[in-house]
Amino acid sequence: MVLSQPLGADLDEFYSGQRSRIMIVEDDPDTTTLLKQILRTAGFDVLSAANGIEALRKYHTITPDMVLLDLLMPEMDGWETLRQLRQVSTTPVLVLTAVDAKESLMECFHLGADDYLVKPFHRGEVLARINAILRRSRHVQSSHRYVFPNVGLIIESQSREVRYKNERIPLTVKEFEVLSTLAKYAPEVVDYLTLSEAVWGRDLPQARQRIKFLIYLLRRKLGNVDEAGADLIVNVDRLGYKLETGE
């Protein structure tokens, strides 16, 4: 007997929190309904938004694992939606649009899209592209990428790059080790011993003072981009520090 695959959930109705979540950003209700049917049958949870403004609001409520993005929409089009999404997140984006122009394709890739598919689409191709993108995304996440969309902070361990509010923050090696260690345990408090071992490989007698100075330098650099950046790292009296993730 062949067992059918369980349907994914429609997150516009309720949130299951179990399977990969895909947000459809599309102003045509018939296309949205078709995509929901395709994705739910394939076992994905889905939610939808009719324009970019609604999409960005819903994104912060139920952070999806992937976004299917139309370009020609009212109120906020797909290009602007993609630009604003990339300021706070590296969530994979598949542009699904009727715009069949090389200039549009190149602009979307420049803005940070992961793939571009022109309508009309075929069910098998949509699912193949989605699964390929999600596989790549999971591989990257396993390389320790820390993303905190609520505060606009992205930390890439492999390239040792930090972006805050869409600005690249240059850090020294030790500054980066402190910040990435806080990100690893966020939003929990990280004690001085854990920070010392992460930065110097052992507990140093002067570790607490050295860590305090590194925290001071980090706050200055983050605060230069946005005044709230100085408050991203919170001191917990006599215990250590924690990263404020906005969750």
Side-chain angles (χ1 to χ4, degrees):
M1 181 177 66
V2 178
L3 298 176
S4 60
Q5 188 170 12
L7 289 177
D10 187 338
L11 298 178
D12 291 320
E13 298 176 4
F14 66 92
Y15 177 35
S16 74
Q18 295 177 352
R19 292 171 287 265
S20 293
R21 305 176 297 275
I22 299 181
M23 180 163 66
I24 302 163
V25 188
E26 167 67 61
D27 66 320
D28 179 53
D30 291 337
T31 302
T32 298
T33 299
L34 175 60
L35 284 169
K36 279 190 172 185
Q37 182 180 16
I38 291 172
L39 295 173
R40 291 185 66 195
T41 302
F44 294 105
D45 289 347
V46 296
L47 68 155
S48 63
N51 57 65
I53 295 174
E54 183 183 0
L56 292 170
R57 176 177 58 80
K58 282 192 171 184
Y59 180 89
H60 293 296
T61 302
I62 302 176
T63 305
D65 298 296
M66 185 174 174
V67 175
L68 300 187
L69 180 64
D70 187 22
L71 294 178
L72 303 178
M73 297 181 296
E75 298 189 53
M76 181 186 289
D77 63 32
W79 292 282
E80 179 62 18
T81 303
L82 179 57
R83 187 186 70 79
Q84 292 198 27
L85 184 63
R86 280 294 171 260
Q87 291 180 2
V88 297
S89 170
T90 60
T91 297
V93 175
L94 168 59
V95 174
L96 189 57
T97 178
V99 181
D100 188 7
K102 182 178 179 180
E103 294 78 12
S104 175
L105 183 149
M106 297 305 295
E107 177 67 10
C108 286
F109 282 135
H110 176 71
L111 290 171
D114 294 83
D115 205 348
Y116 191 104
L117 183 59
V118 177
K119 300 174 183 176
F121 53 83
H122 297 283
R123 175 185 183 278
E125 184 173 9
V126 170
L127 291 175
R129 301 264 190 131
I130 288 172
N131 286 320
I133 292 170
L134 287 175
R135 281 195 299 270
R136 292 197 298 269
S137 174
R138 293 185 187 110
H139 174 72
V140 170
Q141 289 174 1
S142 68
S143 300
H144 302 300
R145 169 187 286 173
Y146 303 104
V147 180
F148 304 100
N150 289 343
V151 294
L153 179 66
I154 301 173
I155 302 170
E156 301 277 2
S157 292
Q158 190 169 9
S159 62
R160 305 184 75 83
E161 182 177 356
V162 174
R163 299 190 71 84
Y164 176 62
K165 302 290 186 181
N166 210 34
E167 295 283 343
R168 185 177 179 277
I169 309 298
L171 299 180
T172 66
V173 172
K174 289 182 172 57
E175 289 168 354
F176 182 86
E177 292 297 341
V178 170
L179 185 60
S180 61
T181 302
L182 294 174
K184 177 180 178 181
Y185 293 98
E188 302 299 323
V189 178
V190 184
D191 59 40
Y192 289 100
L193 174 60
T194 301
L195 287 168
S196 179
E197 289 178 342
V199 177
W200 293 285
R202 64 189 189 282
D203 185 20
L204 296 177
Q206 309 88 359
R208 182 169 298 210
Q209 290 303 316
R210 293 188 183 187
I211 290 168
K212 285 182 177 179
F213 183 64
L214 290 171
I215 294 291
Y216 165 77
L217 295 175
L218 279 170
R219 284 172 169 165
R220 285 190 60 185
K221 291 184 177 182
L222 293 167
N224 284 339
V225 175
D226 184 275
E227 190 171 320
D231 299 322
L232 277 177
I233 303 173
V234 179
N235 177 36
V236 181
D237 192 32
R238 294 187 297 275
L239 294 178
Y241 298 90
K242 70 174 183 176
L243 189 67
E244 180 57 63
T245 63
E247 297 177 355

